[in-house]
Amino acid sequence: PSDDAFDGKFHKLDVRVARRDVGVRHRTGYFAVKDQAPDEKERRAIIAELLSSPLDASQIGIQASAEPVPSKTGAFRVVLRIDVADLHLERRDDRWAGTLDLAIRVESSKQKSVDLRTAALNFSESDFRTALTRGLVLEETLTTDRATDRVRIGLQDRSTGFAGSVSLPLTTK
């Protein structure tokens, strides 16, 4: 159904073919219910689960790397490459838009709550095509006072609730 036809009602399907010697099997109909985005409480619960789980979530593909920042002790440059094909982006005028929540937690951090960042995505057609091929690249700089530490990264598409997560070591060389 089109977006304006999600009325929550049952819609009958009637399938006819021009040939007489053909049998047709099909569903009798469908409920036109649009998937609902998770609310704020559900989103925060998903992010908390992503950061506490030892397993990586894979609904959104993420590649990550971390390198020490040579000029700053305990600082690391973390680069994320996100699979844009796994995100729900809507076409608005001549752009592709969506929203992504990102949470990063350094294992040694004493913070009880996690800083949740929201990224508004807004691609031109050409940037969207490039991102589909190369991925969406995000960079963060993190600091730790340990020689060896770990970082846990979780992200979630706000409109679908789909998530991805990854852990990586932070090691000074």
Side-chain angles (χ1 to χ4, degrees):
S2 63
D3 278 348
D4 57 347
F6 287 103
D7 56 9
K9 297 178 183 173
F10 185 79
H11 294 261
K12 283 186 169 184
L13 289 175
D14 184 28
V15 179
R16 297 179 189 160
V17 294
R19 292 178 48 185
R20 293 180 188 217
D21 58 340
V22 176
V24 177
R25 290 190 218 171
H26 64 87
R27 297 188 311 170
T28 58
Y30 64 93
F31 283 98
V33 179
K34 191 170 189 173
D35 291 335
Q36 297 229 335
D39 63 24
E40 183 68 22
K41 184 178 178 182
E42 292 168 327
R43 279 198 313 272
R44 289 204 171 270
I46 291 168
I47 289 289
E49 176 65 26
L50 290 174
L51 295 179
S52 64
S53 176
L55 303 175
D56 290 338
S58 60
Q59 291 172 313
I60 298 174
I62 309 171
Q63 295 175 344
S65 63
E67 294 181 9
V69 176
S71 61
K72 190 173 178 189
T73 304
F76 292 86
R77 180 176 163 258
V78 176
V79 178
L80 303 175
R81 187 174 305 273
I82 300 163
D83 189 345
V84 173
D86 294 338
L87 303 177
H88 177 80
L89 299 174
E90 293 182 4
R91 186 143 177 100
R92 295 185 191 143
D93 298 322
D94 61 343
R95 315 237 356 132
W96 290 93
T99 308
L100 196 60
D101 285 333
L102 173 69
I104 299 175
R105 187 188 54 152
V106 177
E107 191 175 85
S108 65
S109 173
K110 306 254 189 294
Q111 286 183 293
K112 297 208 188 251
S113 63
V114 174
D115 192 21
L116 189 61
R117 298 177 192 122
T118 300
L121 307 177
N122 191 358
F123 296 108
S124 67
E125 185 67 33
S126 64
D127 288 345
F128 175 64
R129 297 287 165 214
T130 300
L132 280 172
T133 304
R134 297 183 185 162
L136 170 63
V137 177
L138 300 176
E139 294 185 24
E140 291 285 330
T141 301
L142 306 175
T143 57
T144 180
D145 56 359
R146 291 173 145 183
T148 302
D149 211 338
R150 291 187 67 75
V151 63
R152 183 78 174 151
I153 301 162
L155 57 89
Q156 181 183 46
D157 185 320
R158 273 199 168 202
S159 64
T160 62
F162 288 176
S165 61
V166 66
S167 291
L168 16 143
L170 301 175
T171 305
T172 56
K173 293 181 180 179

